[in-house]
Amino acid sequence: MGFADHLDLSSDGNLQIGGCDTVALAARYGTPLYVMDEQALRHNCRRYVDALRNHYPGESEIAYAGKAFLTRAMSRLLHEEGLSLDVVSGGEIYTALDAGYPPEKLLFHGSNKATDELNMAVDNGIGRMVVDNLPELRRLVAIAGQRGTPVPILLRIRPGVEANTHDSVETGRQDSKFGLGISDEETDDAVQLALSHHLIDLRGFHCHIGSQIMQLQPFRRAAVRMMNFTEKIRDRHGFTAGELNIGGGLGIRYRSCDEPPGIDEFVRTVSQAVSRAARDMQIPLPRLILEPGRSIVGEPGITLYRVGTIKDIPGIRCYVSVDGGMADNLRPALYDAEYEALLANRPEDMPADETMTVVGKACESGDVLIKEAVLPPPRTGDLLAVLSTGAYCYAMASNYNRNPRPPVVFAADGSSRVVVHRERYEDLTALDEL
Ligand code: LLP
């Protein structure tokens, strides 16, 4: 069905995901509705794990980036699939632990971690702290000292690599709020401090160059730079990094014309760059860690909306309004992200001659989900499925206009289950005081 392998037609001719008819899902759970194909999610986890096993001769680990989509059910799924988990806030730590996810498999990121969050992480025995800057390291030294607990860390390095992606999601260049500059003096100081303190267990280094990256070259460059950095640190400090985390960032297919590299190709590229460099430098292979988010959850998710007002302004455009919008998918408004959609209740109808503009219900002209949608002439009551919405949509959803956030449903083998309930009006006022 279109470009998404996991979508097909139900026996009634409707769009189907995870063996479930989307028309029936919408009738059962209401709209807007996030639906994720659970097998496709698991499949992507396994693709990553298998690819690393096939292409990297040393030890390795996949740490899913929770910021893309994290709930209790997702935490459990990750644990079942044997993945580690990158978390960036007390809330993400809480969600994972609340689902029984083992703390030792968490990596805690963030460029401005609160002291409460650092304490929470140390007290819960989190696997690795990914330290962003020297003051953070100093705070961690103090916390480790108070507790008398050793703290395993990676240092986050800004490798100075352009990822050729949207400016808001470029993170590896020198002008960035993240990490320590690859050739800055402060970075040396941080390494020195980490190595000299008996409670800080420096395991290695981390970098992340950006997100929705459609070429492999930037990843190769980042891996080589990080290996060169590892060599420099070995020569200067006599410390050989045992772990190297190259981050996430692989792009996905949002539209039929998008052609991102595959997971296997991405993993092979990074694995080869790291193992070749290790051989040339004659250092032991570091444990290689990758942190994919979007490329695990993005394509397996869709959002179902009910079509409401249709406004055809002659000679201008046809506005097709749906019952959600920027509150459940901020990405078009924030990054000009482009999506494709289908009419889920008649996916095989011929598209209209002219494109139309799918808009949300928020009181904003900027609440445009798809500027130029290719769809059959829509009717009020149709069910619209926007594709590839599994990453950074639920995660960035808001209650703008006091709309309750939609539920999330996992669909697999013809059955579905709610993993996040639809918010109720009472939830919206639950924390309010008069
Ligand atoms: N590791 C770190 C340290 C990260 O900061 C990120 C994403 C990832 C891994 C995962 O990257 P992914 O594989 O998902 O590309 N809200 C934006 C994306 C922000 C990404 C932030 N960091 C969007 O909707 O496009």
Side-chain angles (χ1 to χ4, degrees):
M1 200 71 251
F3 56 80
D5 298 341
H6 56 285
L7 300 178
D8 48 34
L9 283 182
S10 72
S11 52
D12 291 338
N14 300 321
L15 179 70
Q16 175 168 293
I17 177 168
C20 296
D21 186 313
T22 50
V23 171
L25 289 175
R28 179 164 173 197
Y29 302 108
T31 54
L33 176 67
Y34 297 111
V35 189
M36 305 190 80
D37 182 322
E38 185 177 343
Q39 292 309 335
L41 280 180
R42 290 184 186 274
H43 199 68
N44 284 342
C45 294
R46 288 172 204 170
R47 274 191 185 135
Y48 265 106
V49 172
D50 292 347
L52 258 184
R53 212 171 275 148
N54 292 336
H55 298 301
Y56 192 67
E59 283 183 23
S60 61
E61 179 176 345
I62 297 294
Y64 166 75
K67 57 186 81 63
F69 171 79
L70 192 68
T71 70
R72 297 168 80 229
M74 185 65 194
S75 306
R76 175 164 299 173
L77 182 151
L78 293 165
H79 186 37
E80 286 167 0
E81 295 299 332
L83 269 64
S84 301
L85 173 56
D86 137 13
V87 287
V88 288
S89 67
E92 288 191 354
I93 295 174
Y94 181 87
T95 303
L97 297 182
D98 192 48
Y101 190 89
E104 64 275 11
K105 291 182 75 179
L106 296 178
L107 284 86
F108 186 29
H109 281 274
S111 57
N112 185 28
K113 300 175 186 82
T115 300
D116 281 354
E117 291 176 318
L118 289 175
N119 285 333
M120 178 184 188
V122 172
D123 290 342
N124 281 288
I126 265 162
R128 269 152 295 175
M129 308 287 289
V130 184
V131 174
D132 180 89
N133 53 68
L134 188 52
E136 180 189 326
L137 181 57
R138 293 200 185 103
R139 283 195 292 155
L140 207 51
V141 164
I143 292 170
Q146 284 157 12
R147 308 283 198 280
T149 340
V151 181
I153 70 161
L154 299 178
L155 287 177
R156 179 166 181 166
I157 305 298
R158 240 174 17 243
V161 171
E162 296 276 334
N164 301 326
T165 183
H166 190 284
D167 266 1
S168 311
V169 292
E170 279 265 3
T171 47
R173 37 165 93 129
Q174 283 317 331
D175 182 358
S176 157
K177 73 172 178 180
F178 297 102
L180 294 148
I182 195 158
S183 37
D184 294 358
E185 233 169 81
E186 204 187 38
T187 308
D188 254 328
D189 297 345
V191 172
Q192 188 57 46
L193 173 58
L195 289 174
S196 63
H197 198 279
H198 69 291
L199 289 175
I200 298 293
D201 171 15
L202 177 63
R203 301 272 178 90
F205 304 108
H206 167 276
C207 76
H208 170 76
I209 57 172
S211 200
Q212 186 56 14
I213 299 170
M214 299 296 267
Q215 298 97 27
L216 293 174
Q217 190 58 26
F219 292 114
R220 190 177 296 123
R221 223 176 289 140
V224 169
R225 284 221 181 156
M226 291 300 288
M227 286 303 282
N228 290 338
F229 173 77
T230 297
E231 187 181 35
K232 187 180 86 180
I233 295 297
R234 179 200 58 184
D235 295 346
R236 229 176 252 177
H237 299 272
F239 165 77
T240 305
E243 297 186 6
L244 183 62
N245 183 333
I246 300 293
L250 178 64
I252 64 162
R253 192 170 244 203
Y254 282 103
R255 303 161 306 167
S256 355
C257 60
D258 293 333
E259 288 180 348
I263 289 174
D264 191 74
E265 247 183 303
F266 163 64
V267 173
R268 194 184 56 213
T269 301
V270 176
S271 299
Q272 286 178 349
V274 173
S275 34
R276 274 186 201 143
R279 197 185 48 214
D280 293 349
M281 296 166 189
Q282 300 189 314
I283 56 174
L285 282 172
R287 180 182 180 87
L288 179 60
I289 306 166
L290 296 176
E291 273 172 357
R294 189 189 317 262
S295 50
I296 288 184
V297 290
E299 291 183 29
I302 64 172
T303 310
L304 297 175
Y305 301 99
R306 191 68 66 189
V307 173
T309 308
I310 298 171
K311 212 168 272 181
D312 198 355
I313 309 179
I316 299 190
R317 71 175 69 240
C318 176
Y319 283 102
V320 179
S321 295
V322 295
D323 53 358
M326 66 192 294
D328 59 76
N329 185 355
L330 188 58
R331 302 192 68 259
L334 199 56
Y335 316 113
D336 288 323
E338 294 185 71
Y339 286 87
E340 275 180 15
L342 296 169
L343 287 186
N345 54 320
R346 41 198 185 93
E348 296 204 299
D349 280 14
M350 285 294 288
D353 295 334
E354 311 240 305
T355 60
M356 49 208 90
T357 298
V358 178
V359 294
K361 64 179 287 191
C363 297
E364 297 242 1
S365 300
D367 186 10
V368 174
L369 280 178
I370 307 178
K371 219 175 262 166
E372 297 194 350
V374 179
L375 290 171
R379 298 190 280 260
T380 298
D382 273 336
L383 190 64
L384 187 91
V386 177
L387 309 185
S388 292
T389 59
Y392 303 109
C393 288
Y394 169 75
M396 299 203 298
S398 77
N399 292 121
Y400 185 42
N401 289 170
R402 288 245 145 176
N403 284 305
R405 281 175 297 178
V408 185
V409 161
F410 276 6
D413 304 323
S415 25
S416 60
R417 63 189 172 109
V418 173
V419 297
V420 181
H421 289 278
R422 184 180 297 284
E423 272 178 341
R424 300 156 307 169
Y425 290 135
E426 303 90 281
D427 297 320
L428 297 176
T429 55
L431 301 176
D432 288 12
E433 291 289 348
L434 275 178

